[in-house]
PDB file of all heavy atoms in Angstrom:
ATOM      1  N   PRO A   1      25.942   8.072   6.890  1.00 55.00           N
ATOM      2  CA  PRO A   1      26.758   7.062   6.193  1.00 55.00           C
ATOM      3  C   PRO A   1      26.631   5.691   6.838  1.00 55.00           C
ATOM      4  O   PRO A   1      27.413   5.303   7.710  1.00 55.00           O
ATOM      5  CB  PRO A   1      28.180   7.624   6.321  1.00 55.00           C
ATOM      6  CG  PRO A   1      28.140   8.462   7.555  1.00 55.00           C
ATOM      7  CD  PRO A   1      26.767   9.058   7.601  1.00 55.00           C
ATOM      8  N   VAL A   2      25.598   4.958   6.435  1.00 52.00           N
ATOM      9  CA  VAL A   2      25.383   3.587   6.894  1.00 52.00           C
ATOM     10  C   VAL A   2      25.374   2.696   5.656  1.00 52.00           C
ATOM     11  O   VAL A   2      25.394   3.196   4.531  1.00 52.00           O
ATOM     12  CB  VAL A   2      24.052   3.463   7.668  1.00 52.00           C
ATOM     13  CG1 VAL A   2      24.088   4.309   8.917  1.00 52.00           C
ATOM     14  CG2 VAL A   2      22.876   3.858   6.793  1.00 52.00           C
ATOM     15  N   PRO A   3      25.364   1.370   5.815  1.00 53.00           N
ATOM     16  CA  PRO A   3      25.342   0.498   4.633  1.00 53.00           C
ATOM     17  C   PRO A   3      24.256   0.901   3.652  1.00 53.00           C
ATOM     18  O   PRO A   3      23.125   1.198   4.044  1.00 53.00           O
ATOM     19  CB  PRO A   3      25.075  -0.884   5.240  1.00 53.00           C
ATOM     20  CG  PRO A   3      25.682  -0.802   6.596  1.00 53.00           C
ATOM     21  CD  PRO A   3      25.435   0.612   7.068  1.00 53.00           C
ATOM     22  N   ARG A   4      24.591   0.910   2.405  1.00 50.00           N
ATOM     23  CA  ARG A   4      23.687   1.463   1.396  1.00 50.00           C
ATOM     24  C   ARG A   4      22.362   0.713   1.336  1.00 50.00           C
ATOM     25  O   ARG A   4      21.353   1.258   0.913  1.00 50.00           O
ATOM     26  CB  ARG A   4      24.382   1.459   0.029  1.00 50.00           C
ATOM     27  CG  ARG A   4      23.605   2.217  -1.038  1.00 50.00           C
ATOM     28  CD  ARG A   4      24.419   2.514  -2.264  1.00 50.00           C
ATOM     29  NE  ARG A   4      25.282   3.674  -2.056  1.00 50.00           N
ATOM     30  CZ  ARG A   4      25.807   4.372  -3.056  1.00 50.00           C
ATOM     31  NH1 ARG A   4      25.595   4.019  -4.296  1.00 50.00           N
ATOM     32  NH2 ARG A   4      26.563   5.407  -2.818  1.00 50.00           N
ATOM     33  N   SER A   5      22.332  -0.549   1.755  1.00 50.00           N
ATOM     34  CA  SER A   5      21.073  -1.279   1.747  1.00 50.00           C
ATOM     35  C   SER A   5      20.059  -0.676   2.723  1.00 50.00           C
ATOM     36  O   SER A   5      18.864  -0.880   2.584  1.00 50.00           O
ATOM     37  CB  SER A   5      21.305  -2.743   2.110  1.00 50.00           C
ATOM     38  OG  SER A   5      21.877  -2.839   3.404  1.00 50.00           O
ATOM     39  N   LEU A   6      20.535   0.062   3.739  1.00 51.00           N
ATOM     40  CA  LEU A   6      19.652   0.715   4.694  1.00 51.00           C
ATOM     41  C   LEU A   6      19.540   2.207   4.420  1.00 51.00           C
ATOM     42  O   LEU A   6      18.964   2.947   5.198  1.00 51.00           O
ATOM     43  CB  LEU A   6      20.200   0.526   6.121  1.00 51.00           C
ATOM     44  CG  LEU A   6      20.397  -0.906   6.581  1.00 51.00           C
ATOM     45  CD1 LEU A   6      21.042  -0.924   7.953  1.00 51.00           C
ATOM     46  CD2 LEU A   6      19.072  -1.639   6.605  1.00 51.00           C
ATOM     47  N   ASN A   7      20.087   2.632   3.339  1.00 50.00           N
ATOM     48  CA  ASN A   7      20.351   4.022   3.071  1.00 50.00           C
ATOM     49  C   ASN A   7      19.488   4.499   1.911  1.00 50.00           C
ATOM     50  O   ASN A   7      18.709   3.754   1.349  1.00 50.00           O
ATOM     51  CB  ASN A   7      21.843   4.137   2.704  1.00 50.00           C
ATOM     52  CG  ASN A   7      22.375   5.525   2.933  1.00 50.00           C
ATOM     53  OD1 ASN A   7      21.610   6.461   3.068  1.00 50.00           O
ATOM     54  ND2 ASN A   7      23.675   5.655   2.971  1.00 50.00           N
ATOM     55  N   SER A   8      19.669   5.733   1.527  1.00 50.00           N
ATOM     56  CA  SER A   8      19.183   6.191   0.242  1.00 50.00           C
ATOM     57  C   SER A   8      20.438   6.341  -0.618  1.00 50.00           C
ATOM     58  O   SER A   8      21.436   5.674  -0.377  1.00 50.00           O
ATOM     59  CB  SER A   8      18.442   7.511   0.385  1.00 50.00           C
ATOM     60  OG  SER A   8      17.953   7.939  -0.861  1.00 50.00           O
ATOM     61  N   ASP A   9      20.410   7.205  -1.577  1.00 53.00           N
ATOM     62  CA  ASP A   9      21.537   7.421  -2.487  1.00 53.00           C
ATOM     63  C   ASP A   9      21.743   6.265  -3.460  1.00 53.00           C
ATOM     64  O   ASP A   9      22.790   6.163  -4.071  1.00 53.00           O
ATOM     65  CB  ASP A   9      22.859   7.673  -1.736  1.00 53.00           C
ATOM     66  CG  ASP A   9      22.944   9.102  -1.231  1.00 53.00           C
ATOM     67  OD1 ASP A   9      21.983   9.846  -1.504  1.00 53.00           O
ATOM     68  OD2 ASP A   9      23.923   9.458  -0.592  1.00 53.00           O
ATOM     69  N   ILE A  10      20.771   5.356  -3.576  1.00 54.00           N
ATOM     70  CA  ILE A  10      20.855   4.388  -4.664  1.00 54.00           C
ATOM     71  C   ILE A  10      20.935   5.162  -5.974  1.00 54.00           C
ATOM     72  O   ILE A  10      21.752   4.904  -6.841  1.00 54.00           O
ATOM     73  CB  ILE A  10      19.625   3.453  -4.666  1.00 54.00           C
ATOM     74  CG1 ILE A  10      19.701   2.498  -3.479  1.00 54.00           C
ATOM     75  CG2 ILE A  10      19.544   2.660  -5.963  1.00 54.00           C
ATOM     76  CD1 ILE A  10      18.485   1.612  -3.343  1.00 54.00           C
ATOM     77  N   SER A  11      20.030   6.148  -6.103  1.00 49.00           N
ATOM     78  CA  SER A  11      20.032   7.002  -7.284  1.00 49.00           C
ATOM     79  C   SER A  11      20.799   8.277  -6.937  1.00 49.00           C
ATOM     80  O   SER A  11      20.227   9.304  -6.648  1.00 49.00           O
ATOM     81  CB  SER A  11      18.599   7.335  -7.696  1.00 49.00           C
ATOM     82  OG  SER A  11      18.589   8.254  -8.765  1.00 49.00           O
ATOM     83  N   TYR A  12      22.113   8.187  -6.942  1.00 45.00           N
ATOM     84  CA  TYR A  12      22.945   9.269  -6.416  1.00 45.00           C
ATOM     85  C   TYR A  12      22.730  10.575  -7.165  1.00 45.00           C
ATOM     86  O   TYR A  12      22.751  11.645  -6.584  1.00 45.00           O
ATOM     87  CB  TYR A  12      24.416   8.853  -6.493  1.00 45.00           C
ATOM     88  CG  TYR A  12      25.348   9.827  -5.813  1.00 45.00           C
ATOM     89  CD1 TYR A  12      25.589   9.743  -4.439  1.00 45.00           C
ATOM     90  CD2 TYR A  12      25.952  10.858  -6.519  1.00 45.00           C
ATOM     91  CE1 TYR A  12      26.438  10.640  -3.813  1.00 45.00           C
ATOM     92  CE2 TYR A  12      26.785  11.760  -5.895  1.00 45.00           C
ATOM     93  CZ  TYR A  12      27.030  11.634  -4.549  1.00 45.00           C
ATOM     94  OH  TYR A  12      27.857  12.529  -3.923  1.00 45.00           O
ATOM     95  N   PHE A  13      22.491  10.498  -8.465  1.00 39.00           N
ATOM     96  CA  PHE A  13      22.349  11.732  -9.235  1.00 39.00           C
ATOM     97  C   PHE A  13      20.886  12.130  -9.417  1.00 39.00           C
ATOM     98  O   PHE A  13      20.592  13.103 -10.082  1.00 39.00           O
ATOM     99  CB  PHE A  13      23.009  11.588 -10.615  1.00 39.00           C
ATOM    100  CG  PHE A  13      24.495  11.456 -10.534  1.00 39.00           C
ATOM    101  CD1 PHE A  13      25.098  10.215 -10.545  1.00 39.00           C
ATOM    102  CD2 PHE A  13      25.293  12.564 -10.405  1.00 39.00           C
ATOM    103  CE1 PHE A  13      26.460  10.080 -10.461  1.00 39.00           C
ATOM    104  CE2 PHE A  13      26.673  12.459 -10.317  1.00 39.00           C
ATOM    105  CZ  PHE A  13      27.254  11.197 -10.342  1.00 39.00           C
ATOM    106  N   GLY A  14      19.963  11.371  -8.837  1.00 44.00           N
ATOM    107  CA  GLY A  14      18.550  11.733  -8.950  1.00 44.00           C
ATOM    108  C   GLY A  14      18.014  11.620 -10.355  1.00 44.00           C
ATOM    109  O   GLY A  14      17.083  12.307 -10.728  1.00 44.00           O
ATOM    110  N   VAL A  15      18.594  10.738 -11.162  1.00 45.00           N
ATOM    111  CA  VAL A  15      18.193  10.686 -12.567  1.00 45.00           C
ATOM    112  C   VAL A  15      17.383   9.445 -12.890  1.00 45.00           C
ATOM    113  O   VAL A  15      16.860   9.324 -13.977  1.00 45.00           O
ATOM    114  CB  VAL A  15      19.425  10.730 -13.507  1.00 45.00           C
ATOM    115  CG1 VAL A  15      20.220  11.984 -13.274  1.00 45.00           C
ATOM    116  CG2 VAL A  15      20.290   9.502 -13.319  1.00 45.00           C
ATOM    117  N   GLY A  16      17.285   8.490 -11.963  1.00 63.00           N
ATOM    118  CA  GLY A  16      16.789   7.189 -12.342  1.00 63.00           C
ATOM    119  C   GLY A  16      15.324   6.917 -12.125  1.00 63.00           C
ATOM    120  O   GLY A  16      14.804   5.951 -12.665  1.00 63.00           O
ATOM    121  N   GLY A  17      14.640   7.721 -11.298  1.00 71.00           N
ATOM    122  CA  GLY A  17      13.265   7.407 -10.967  1.00 71.00           C
ATOM    123  C   GLY A  17      12.356   7.316 -12.175  1.00 71.00           C
ATOM    124  O   GLY A  17      11.619   6.343 -12.342  1.00 71.00           O
ATOM    125  N   LYS A  18      12.387   8.317 -13.022  1.00 71.00           N
ATOM    126  CA  LYS A  18      11.539   8.293 -14.209  1.00 71.00           C
ATOM    127  C   LYS A  18      12.028   7.247 -15.211  1.00 71.00           C
ATOM    128  O   LYS A  18      11.248   6.585 -15.865  1.00 71.00           O
ATOM    129  CB  LYS A  18      11.517   9.669 -14.869  1.00 71.00           C
ATOM    130  CG  LYS A  18      10.574  10.667 -14.199  1.00 71.00           C
ATOM    131  CD  LYS A  18      11.118  11.215 -12.892  1.00 71.00           C
ATOM    132  CE  LYS A  18      12.325  12.099 -13.100  1.00 71.00           C
ATOM    133  NZ  LYS A  18      12.883  12.606 -11.825  1.00 71.00           N
ATOM    134  N   GLN A  19      13.347   7.088 -15.303  1.00 73.00           N
ATOM    135  CA  GLN A  19      13.899   6.045 -16.168  1.00 73.00           C
ATOM    136  C   GLN A  19      13.346   4.689 -15.750  1.00 73.00           C
ATOM    137  O   GLN A  19      12.938   3.880 -16.570  1.00 73.00           O
ATOM    138  CB  GLN A  19      15.428   6.034 -16.060  1.00 73.00           C
ATOM    139  CG  GLN A  19      16.117   7.269 -16.584  1.00 73.00           C
ATOM    140  CD  GLN A  19      16.454   7.169 -18.070  1.00 73.00           C
ATOM    141  OE1 GLN A  19      16.070   6.221 -18.736  1.00 73.00           O
ATOM    142  NE2 GLN A  19      17.164   8.146 -18.575  1.00 73.00           N
ATOM    143  N   ALA A  20      13.357   4.427 -14.440  1.00 76.00           N
ATOM    144  CA  ALA A  20      12.904   3.134 -13.932  1.00 76.00           C
ATOM    145  C   ALA A  20      11.416   2.937 -14.201  1.00 76.00           C
ATOM    146  O   ALA A  20      10.989   1.861 -14.624  1.00 76.00           O
ATOM    147  CB  ALA A  20      13.192   3.039 -12.441  1.00 76.00           C
ATOM    148  N   VAL A  21      10.626   3.978 -13.944  1.00 80.00           N
ATOM    149  CA  VAL A  21       9.189   3.879 -14.146  1.00 80.00           C
ATOM    150  C   VAL A  21       8.873   3.482 -15.580  1.00 80.00           C
ATOM    151  O   VAL A  21       8.096   2.555 -15.845  1.00 80.00           O
ATOM    152  CB  VAL A  21       8.503   5.218 -13.803  1.00 80.00           C
ATOM    153  CG1 VAL A  21       7.100   5.263 -14.384  1.00 80.00           C
ATOM    154  CG2 VAL A  21       8.462   5.417 -12.297  1.00 80.00           C
ATOM    155  N   PHE A  22       9.501   4.170 -16.521  1.00 77.00           N
ATOM    156  CA  PHE A  22       9.163   3.926 -17.917  1.00 77.00           C
ATOM    157  C   PHE A  22       9.937   2.743 -18.500  1.00 77.00           C
ATOM    158  O   PHE A  22       9.690   2.332 -19.624  1.00 77.00           O
ATOM    159  CB  PHE A  22       9.370   5.202 -18.732  1.00 77.00           C
ATOM    160  CG  PHE A  22       8.422   6.293 -18.334  1.00 77.00           C
ATOM    161  CD1 PHE A  22       8.888   7.524 -17.912  1.00 77.00           C
ATOM    162  CD2 PHE A  22       7.062   6.076 -18.346  1.00 77.00           C
ATOM    163  CE1 PHE A  22       8.005   8.520 -17.522  1.00 77.00           C
ATOM    164  CE2 PHE A  22       6.175   7.059 -17.956  1.00 77.00           C
ATOM    165  CZ  PHE A  22       6.643   8.289 -17.548  1.00 77.00           C
ATOM    166  N   PHE A  23      10.882   2.199 -17.741  1.00 76.00           N
ATOM    167  CA  PHE A  23      11.496   0.931 -18.123  1.00 76.00           C
ATOM    168  C   PHE A  23      10.576  -0.220 -17.729  1.00 76.00           C
ATOM    169  O   PHE A  23      10.394  -1.179 -18.480  1.00 76.00           O
ATOM    170  CB  PHE A  23      12.864   0.763 -17.464  1.00 76.00           C
ATOM    171  CG  PHE A  23      13.496  -0.564 -17.735  1.00 76.00           C
ATOM    172  CD1 PHE A  23      14.109  -0.820 -18.964  1.00 76.00           C
ATOM    173  CD2 PHE A  23      13.468  -1.566 -16.786  1.00 76.00           C
ATOM    174  CE1 PHE A  23      14.668  -2.062 -19.221  1.00 76.00           C
ATOM    175  CE2 PHE A  23      14.033  -2.794 -17.048  1.00 76.00           C
ATOM    176  CZ  PHE A  23      14.642  -3.049 -18.261  1.00 76.00           C
ATOM    177  N   VAL A  24       9.966  -0.102 -16.540  1.00 80.00           N
ATOM    178  CA  VAL A  24       9.106  -1.175 -16.028  1.00 80.00           C
ATOM    179  C   VAL A  24       7.713  -1.104 -16.646  1.00 80.00           C
ATOM    180  O   VAL A  24       7.107  -2.127 -16.945  1.00 80.00           O
ATOM    181  CB  VAL A  24       9.015  -1.093 -14.494  1.00 80.00           C
ATOM    182  CG1 VAL A  24       8.011  -2.101 -13.948  1.00 80.00           C
ATOM    183  CG2 VAL A  24      10.379  -1.332 -13.874  1.00 80.00           C
ATOM    184  N   GLY A  25       7.178   0.103 -16.812  1.00 82.00           N
ATOM    185  CA  GLY A  25       5.799   0.236 -17.274  1.00 82.00           C
ATOM    186  C   GLY A  25       5.587   1.441 -18.158  1.00 82.00           C
ATOM    187  O   GLY A  25       6.529   2.078 -18.633  1.00 82.00           O
ATOM    188  N   GLN A  26       4.306   1.765 -18.348  1.00 83.00           N
ATOM    189  CA  GLN A  26       3.922   2.837 -19.264  1.00 83.00           C
ATOM    190  C   GLN A  26       3.499   4.121 -18.562  1.00 83.00           C
ATOM    191  O   GLN A  26       3.363   5.154 -19.208  1.00 83.00           O
ATOM    192  CB  GLN A  26       2.759   2.360 -20.164  1.00 83.00           C
ATOM    193  CG  GLN A  26       3.085   1.138 -20.999  1.00 83.00           C
ATOM    194  CD  GLN A  26       4.188   1.396 -22.001  1.00 83.00           C
ATOM    195  OE1 GLN A  26       4.150   2.389 -22.732  1.00 83.00           O
ATOM    196  NE2 GLN A  26       5.174   0.514 -22.046  1.00 83.00           N
ATOM    197  N   SER A  27       3.283   4.053 -17.255  1.00 85.00           N
ATOM    198  CA  SER A  27       2.826   5.250 -16.554  1.00 85.00           C
ATOM    199  C   SER A  27       3.206   5.163 -15.087  1.00 85.00           C
ATOM    200  O   SER A  27       3.546   4.092 -14.569  1.00 85.00           O
ATOM    201  CB  SER A  27       1.304   5.412 -16.686  1.00 85.00           C
ATOM    202  OG  SER A  27       0.630   4.338 -16.056  1.00 85.00           O
ATOM    203  N   ALA A  28       3.156   6.305 -14.414  1.00 86.00           N
ATOM    204  CA  ALA A  28       3.474   6.387 -12.989  1.00 86.00           C
ATOM    205  C   ALA A  28       2.375   7.169 -12.286  1.00 86.00           C
ATOM    206  O   ALA A  28       1.880   8.173 -12.806  1.00 86.00           O
ATOM    207  CB  ALA A  28       4.810   7.086 -12.775  1.00 86.00           C
ATOM    208  N   ARG A  29       2.015   6.711 -11.088  1.00 90.00           N
ATOM    209  CA  ARG A  29       1.063   7.441 -10.249  1.00 90.00           C
ATOM    210  C   ARG A  29       1.657   7.516  -8.851  1.00 90.00           C
ATOM    211  O   ARG A  29       1.923   6.493  -8.223  1.00 90.00           O
ATOM    212  CB  ARG A  29      -0.283   6.737 -10.213  1.00 90.00           C
ATOM    213  CG  ARG A  29      -1.259   7.340  -9.210  1.00 90.00           C
ATOM    214  CD  ARG A  29      -2.662   6.869  -9.459  1.00 90.00           C
ATOM    215  NE  ARG A  29      -3.111   7.311 -10.774  1.00 90.00           N
ATOM    216  CZ  ARG A  29      -4.356   7.173 -11.215  1.00 90.00           C
ATOM    217  NH1 ARG A  29      -5.260   6.624 -10.453  1.00 90.00           N
ATOM    218  NH2 ARG A  29      -4.685   7.591 -12.415  1.00 90.00           N
ATOM    219  N   MET A  30       1.896   8.727  -8.381  1.00 90.00           N
ATOM    220  CA  MET A  30       2.451   8.932  -7.045  1.00 90.00           C
ATOM    221  C   MET A  30       1.399   9.623  -6.188  1.00 90.00           C
ATOM    222  O   MET A  30       0.881  10.683  -6.562  1.00 90.00           O
ATOM    223  CB  MET A  30       3.734   9.762  -7.115  1.00 90.00           C
ATOM    224  CG  MET A  30       4.857   9.069  -7.872  1.00 90.00           C
ATOM    225  SD  MET A  30       6.377  10.036  -7.918  1.00 90.00           S
ATOM    226  CE  MET A  30       6.847   9.988  -6.189  1.00 90.00           C
ATOM    227  N   ILE A  31       1.074   9.009  -5.038  1.00 93.00           N
ATOM    228  CA  ILE A  31       0.111   9.567  -4.106  1.00 93.00           C
ATOM    229  C   ILE A  31       0.835   9.812  -2.798  1.00 93.00           C
ATOM    230  O   ILE A  31       1.468   8.906  -2.256  1.00 93.00           O
ATOM    231  CB  ILE A  31      -1.075   8.611  -3.891  1.00 93.00           C
ATOM    232  CG1 ILE A  31      -1.745   8.293  -5.239  1.00 93.00           C
ATOM    233  CG2 ILE A  31      -2.084   9.205  -2.914  1.00 93.00           C
ATOM    234  CD1 ILE A  31      -2.804   7.225  -5.159  1.00 93.00           C
ATOM    235  N   SER A  32       0.784  11.039  -2.294  1.00 93.00           N
ATOM    236  CA  SER A  32       1.589  11.396  -1.133  1.00 93.00           C
ATOM    237  C   SER A  32       0.849  12.378  -0.244  1.00 93.00           C
ATOM    238  O   SER A  32       0.184  13.292  -0.734  1.00 93.00           O
ATOM    239  CB  SER A  32       2.924  12.007  -1.592  1.00 93.00           C
ATOM    240  OG  SER A  32       3.784  12.220  -0.499  1.00 93.00           O
ATOM    241  N   LYS A  33       0.973  12.170   1.062  1.00 92.00           N
ATOM    242  CA  LYS A  33       0.415  13.092   2.042  1.00 92.00           C
ATOM    243  C   LYS A  33       1.539  13.548   2.968  1.00 92.00           C
ATOM    244  O   LYS A  33       2.086  12.738   3.713  1.00 92.00           O
ATOM    245  CB  LYS A  33      -0.683  12.420   2.867  1.00 92.00           C
ATOM    246  CG  LYS A  33      -1.260  13.318   3.953  1.00 92.00           C
ATOM    247  CD  LYS A  33      -2.230  12.568   4.834  1.00 92.00           C
ATOM    248  CE  LYS A  33      -2.734  13.456   5.970  1.00 92.00           C
ATOM    249  NZ  LYS A  33      -1.640  13.888   6.876  1.00 92.00           N
ATOM    250  N   PRO A  34       1.930  14.820   2.912  1.00 89.00           N
ATOM    251  CA  PRO A  34       2.955  15.309   3.842  1.00 89.00           C
ATOM    252  C   PRO A  34       2.511  15.095   5.281  1.00 89.00           C
ATOM    253  O   PRO A  34       1.335  15.249   5.612  1.00 89.00           O
ATOM    254  CB  PRO A  34       3.061  16.801   3.506  1.00 89.00           C
ATOM    255  CG  PRO A  34       2.518  16.923   2.110  1.00 89.00           C
ATOM    256  CD  PRO A  34       1.454  15.868   1.999  1.00 89.00           C
TER     257      PRO A  34
END
């Protein structure tokens, strides 16, 4: 529990990532290496 600007939980319900992607653009590409 630190100031939210340094935190996560912006998308508290986990519903906004895809909404945001398709609001800003037409496609999403995620590249990740554990």
Side-chain angles (χ1 to χ4, degrees):
V2 297
R4 189 165 280 200
S5 60
L6 302 175
N7 203 344
S8 181
D9 281 359
I10 289 176
S11 175
Y12 187 85
F13 293 96
V15 301
K18 280 75 68 182
Q19 294 271 6
V21 163
F22 294 123
F23 176 78
V24 174
Q26 301 296 311
S27 64
R29 172 165 297 188
M30 296 181 68
I31 303 172
S32 187
K33 177 186 176 297

